[in-house]
Amino acid sequence: MCIRDSIDTDVLNGKKYYYACVAYDEGDPNRGTKGLLPTETTKIISESILGEIDFIDINCAVVTPNAPVAGYVPPQVIGSLDEIASGFGSGSLAVTILNPDSVKDNASYTVKFHSNGQIPKYTTSYYELIREYGGVVDTVLERVDSTTFGAGLLGPLFDGIAVTTNNDTIGVDLEKTDWVKGFSNLYMPVRLENGFPLNKIIAWPADYEMEFLDGFTELSFNSIPINFKIKNITSGNYIQAYIHDTDPLGYLSLGDVISFMEIYDGQKFTWTVGYYPQNDGSPTPLYPSGGDIFRVVTTKPFIDGDSFTFKTVSSKIISENVKNEMDQISVVPNPYIAAATWENKTISTNGRGERRIDFINLPATCTIRIYTVAGALVKTLHKDSSPLDGSLSWNLVSEDGMDVAFGLYIFHVEAPGIGDKIGKFALIK
C-alpha cells in the first residue's frame, strides 16, 4: 500500500533536482517472511540553471503536449483480430500503434503460430510475423516466444506497431455454449469431469454438438439408452457418452450427468453436461426434441498453423479536412503574460529569460505573418513539418531582432492551395 507519493525539489550547484518519492508499508513476499523494508524510491530529473533538462533518470520521460496538424487522419489497423483467420485456437490479438510516422501504407501482415506437442496435450511456443509490402514478402519477426503473451504485454516493435497476444487456456466458453437449434428449459451446465481418477480425465480442446433424436435409439458407453449423439465438430468425429445414472432408472432422465469420452492413450473422460430440471421457474420441463442441437464450445490455445491477418493504412492529411479545421488555429497562451513560470530562466543579472508563444492546430505547410494593429509587419514564420507536429513557436522577437512591445497583434496564416486564417493575440508585460 502506498503511504506517500510526492515530488520535492532542491537546488544544488546551480541545478534544480526533482525527487519523485514513493514509500510502501509492506515488503516483497517473494523476498522472505519479512519482505523488503519500507523505503523511498527516488527518481531524479535534473535541470540546469537555464531551465534546460540535462539528466533524465531511468523509467522517466520528458513529454511536450502537442496536437497533430490540421486535416490529420491517424494511421489505422484494418482487420478482425477477435478471432483467427484460419486454424484452431480461440484467442485474440491486439495491435497497438506506437510510432504513427513509421506505419506503412497498405501493408499486409500475417501472424502465424507454432506449437509443441499434439492435441490434446500441446503448448503454444512462438509466433512469426510475415509482411507483404510493395510486392515483397518478408519475415519481419521470427521467433517471438510465449513469454511475451498476455494482456498488457507488447511484442517486439516493428513498422511503428506492436502486437499483444491473448492466448487462451483450455476451458469451457460459457458465453458461446448454448442451443443452436431448438430449445429446452432444462438446466445443462458444462464443466470438466471430476468423477473418475485424474489419470482418466483430460480437458479436451474441441467444440461439440449434441444432436437429440426422436427416441432412445442409441446406447451410451456404459450401455444406457440415450436419445442423442455427440459429434466433435472440431475433428469431425462422433464420440461416445458415459451416463452417470443417478436415479438409477436405466435410461437418461432428469438428474443424470452426461460425460463426453475421447480416446487418448485409452478411453478418457472430458467434459460433462448436466441434465437437470428446468431453472426458469416454469412448472413443466421442456425436453429437447428430435433435431434440437446443444453446442459445447471450448477455449483453445493457439496451435501450429493458426494465423491472424491484418493490414495497415498510414497517416494522411486530407485537404478538405484542413479547410474545415483552419478555424481551430489559435495562439497559446493568449494573452501572453510576461515572466510566465514555465519559461526558461536567464543567468544574466539584467533582462529576462526566454519568451515564447505557440501557434497550434496549424497545417503541415504554412506561412504565418504577424502584424501590429496598424498593419506593420512584425515577423514572418514558415512551417513545413511532420504530420504529428501541428504547432510552431515564436520567441517574441521581431524581424529586425528586437523584443516586441506589449499590445495587441494580428496574425495571418496562409496555407497554399487550402485557405487562410486571421486571428489576434495580446502581449501583457
Side-chain angles (χ1 to χ4, degrees):
M1 179 185 295
C2 180
I3 58 175
R4 186 159 73 87
D5 187 352
S6 63
I7 297 178
D8 300 323
T9 60
D10 194 9
V11 177
L12 180 64
N13 296 329
K15 293 185 177 181
K16 179 182 288 186
Y17 293 85
Y18 299 83
Y19 301 88
C21 306
V22 181
Y24 295 89
D25 66 354
E26 59 185 34
D28 182 350
N30 295 324
R31 298 282 182 165
T33 56
K34 293 184 179 179
L36 296 175
L37 294 176
T39 59
E40 288 191 346
T41 301
T42 303
K43 296 297 179 185
I44 299 176
I45 304 173
S46 65
E47 179 185 88
S48 72
I49 197 170
L50 293 175
E52 298 173 344
I53 295 176
D54 56 13
F55 178 77
I56 304 172
D57 213 338
I58 188 172
N59 293 330
C60 299
V62 177
V63 178
T64 302
N66 195 6
V69 301
Y72 175 79
V73 177
Q76 299 178 34
V77 176
I78 301 174
S80 175
L81 301 177
D82 291 334
E83 57 184 26
I84 56 176
S86 64
F88 182 80
S90 60
S92 63
L93 287 190
V95 177
T96 302
I97 297 175
L98 299 174
N99 185 358
D101 279 346
S102 299
V103 175
K104 296 186 179 297
D105 191 38
N106 200 30
S108 299
Y109 299 89
T110 299
V111 178
K112 188 175 181 179
F113 288 91
H114 297 269
S115 60
N116 294 321
Q118 300 294 324
I119 297 172
K121 292 188 175 182
Y122 70 95
T123 57
T124 312
S125 52
Y126 68 93
Y127 69 78
E128 58 181 333
L129 190 139
I130 302 164
R131 177 187 64 204
E132 183 178 352
Y133 179 64
V136 178
V137 178
D138 292 317
T139 299
V140 179
L141 300 176
E142 288 186 341
R143 294 182 67 93
V144 183
D145 64 51
S146 58
T147 59
T148 66
F149 297 179
L153 298 179
L154 292 176
L157 177 67
F158 64 96
D159 297 345
I161 60 181
V163 167
T164 296
T165 305
N166 300 307
N167 194 25
D168 278 334
T169 56
I170 302 175
V172 180
D173 190 332
L174 297 177
E175 292 186 357
K176 295 181 179 179
T177 296
D178 204 350
W179 294 96
V180 294
K181 184 178 181 182
F183 176 73
S184 169
N185 65 358
L186 300 186
Y187 177 46
M188 299 176 63
V190 182
R191 59 172 174 77
L192 184 63
E193 173 67 76
N194 64 1
F196 292 92
L198 291 179
N199 64 348
K200 293 291 185 181
I201 299 171
I202 189 168
W204 201 281
D207 299 337
Y208 300 88
E209 285 187 350
M210 297 178 61
E211 181 180 355
F212 285 84
L213 309 172
D214 288 326
F216 289 83
T217 57
E218 301 285 325
L219 286 178
S220 69
F221 177 78
N222 52 335
S223 301
I224 292 181
I226 54 177
N227 61 339
F228 63 87
K229 53 185 179 179
I230 304 172
K231 185 177 183 179
N232 180 329
I233 58 175
T234 302
S235 67
N237 299 323
Y238 283 92
I239 65 170
Q240 289 185 303
Y242 182 96
I243 304 300
H244 298 268
D245 192 13
T246 58
D247 307 289
L249 296 177
Y251 59 90
L252 177 67
S253 58
L254 292 182
D256 292 346
V257 176
I258 304 163
S259 182
F260 294 1
M261 301 181 67
E262 294 277 6
I263 298 176
Y264 180 80
D265 190 23
Q267 294 284 354
K268 299 290 184 181
F269 298 88
T270 178
W271 312 108
T272 66
V273 178
Y275 197 71
Y276 302 139
Q278 67 275 15
N279 65 346
D280 63 358
S282 60
T284 304
L286 177 61
Y287 290 96
S289 301
D292 291 351
I293 297 176
F294 183 74
R295 180 176 293 167
V296 175
V297 179
T298 63
T299 55
K300 315 165 197 68
F302 298 124
I303 198 170
D304 262 345
D306 287 357
S307 64
F308 289 84
T309 59
F310 62 92
K311 293 183 178 181
T312 57
V313 177
S314 64
S315 59
K316 302 182 184 302
I317 299 173
I318 300 179
S319 298
E320 189 62 33
N321 291 358
V322 177
K323 293 179 182 180
N324 297 334
E325 295 174 15
M326 289 284 284
D327 284 340
Q328 298 179 21
I329 297 173
S330 58
V331 174
V332 292
N334 188 13
Y336 169 86
I337 300 175
T341 57
W342 47 266
E343 294 175 337
N344 290 344
K345 301 173 179 58
T346 179
I347 57 175
S348 173
T349 56
N350 297 315
R352 51 161 300 142
E354 176 196 40
R355 301 192 296 170
R356 188 185 84 228
I357 62 173
D358 289 302
F359 296 87
I360 62 173
N361 300 319
L362 295 168
T365 302
C366 62
T367 299
I368 304 174
R369 295 180 177 87
I370 302 163
Y371 302 89
T372 65
V373 290
L377 179 64
V378 177
K379 183 70 175 180
T380 301
L381 304 171
H382 299 281
K383 179 179 182 299
D384 188 2
S385 68
S386 157
L388 291 177
D389 186 4
S391 66
L392 186 64
S393 297
W394 179 40
N395 61 1
L396 304 186
V397 175
S398 67
E399 206 71 77
D400 55 8
M402 302 291 289
D403 287 346
V404 298
F406 68 90
L408 185 65
Y409 290 83
I410 308 297
F411 71 86
H412 172 236
V413 179
E414 180 185 10
I418 295 173
D420 301 85
K421 164 70 176 181
I422 297 175
K424 58 187 177 181
F425 61 91
L427 305 180
I428 300 174
K429 292 190 176 182

